Amino acid sequence: MGFNDLIAGNARFAAEFQNAGIPGRAARGVAVVTCMDSRLDPLAMLDLKVGDAKVLRTPGGRVTPEVVTGLVVGVHLLGVERIMVIAHSRCAMASGDDAQIADAIASADGAQVHGMAIGASTDQAAALAFDVSALRANPLIPAEVGGFMYDVDTGIIAQVH
């Protein structure tokens, strides 16, 4: 398949590029932790623009050790004062636990990922509450933290924590 279509897309993007000189700090003081789902456009769904926020994406929008590292850097060096952890409806990572997702991967193409920490949970509300609580309790992250649900069918975000 290659990458030619994407390189061509970048050429079109670069021809009209107007973001030169934007600072690396989060202009609106926000970091968004959300899912890697292709239906989510974190900046658009919050009416933000390039340079306004730090965006960290993982399967299921889970707060992984790498996300914590990014948030610590964001809070201490990049202007982050608020953190939104956003889960969403119809998330594949809420369709089973890690073992069930690993089974689905094995069924799809034979890849064996059993034992990998995927972060899947059928109890999305509990997973979100856990992640928000863990961030709030982290002394290296002195920021306001909220937990939210995004509806992929309506575009509405609701604060739940």
Side-chain angles (χ1 to χ4, degrees):
M1 174 178 268
F3 300 96
N4 290 342
D5 60 327
L6 302 173
I7 298 301
N10 174 255
R12 290 186 297 278
F13 172 79
E16 298 180 18
F17 188 73
Q18 298 184 17
N19 293 330
I22 292 177
R25 294 178 61 82
R28 299 274 301 271
V30 66
V32 176
V33 178
T34 196
C35 187
M36 60 188 262
D37 191 301
S38 57
R39 295 170 291 181
L40 278 61
D41 185 347
L43 295 180
M45 65 194 210
L46 296 167
D47 196 25
L48 298 172
K49 63 184 186 315
V50 170
D52 282 348
K54 298 299 175 190
V55 178
L56 299 97
R57 296 178 75 147
T58 64
R62 297 303 309 274
V63 175
T64 65
E66 294 80 8
V67 166
V68 171
T69 299
L71 293 173
V72 168
V73 172
V75 167
H76 293 279
L77 293 178
L78 302 174
V80 171
E81 300 168 338
R82 303 174 287 167
I83 299 167
M84 296 180 77
V85 182
I86 305 174
H88 69 92
S89 62
R90 296 196 296 121
C91 182
M93 295 301 103
S95 67
D97 60 20
D98 281 4
Q100 291 167 312
I101 299 298
D103 288 344
I105 291 170
S107 293
D109 64 12
Q112 295 301 316
V113 299
H114 288 87
M116 177 184 282
I118 297 170
S121 173
T122 57
D123 192 343
Q124 212 176 14
L128 181 58
F130 178 86
D131 287 347
V132 168
S133 293
L135 289 176
R136 287 178 177 162
N138 189 323
L140 294 175
I141 302 177
E144 182 178 357
V145 179
F148 303 81
M149 280 297 297
Y150 174 74
D151 187 316
V152 298
D153 295 311
T154 66
I156 295 173
I157 293 176
Q159 185 165 3
V160 294
H161 298 288

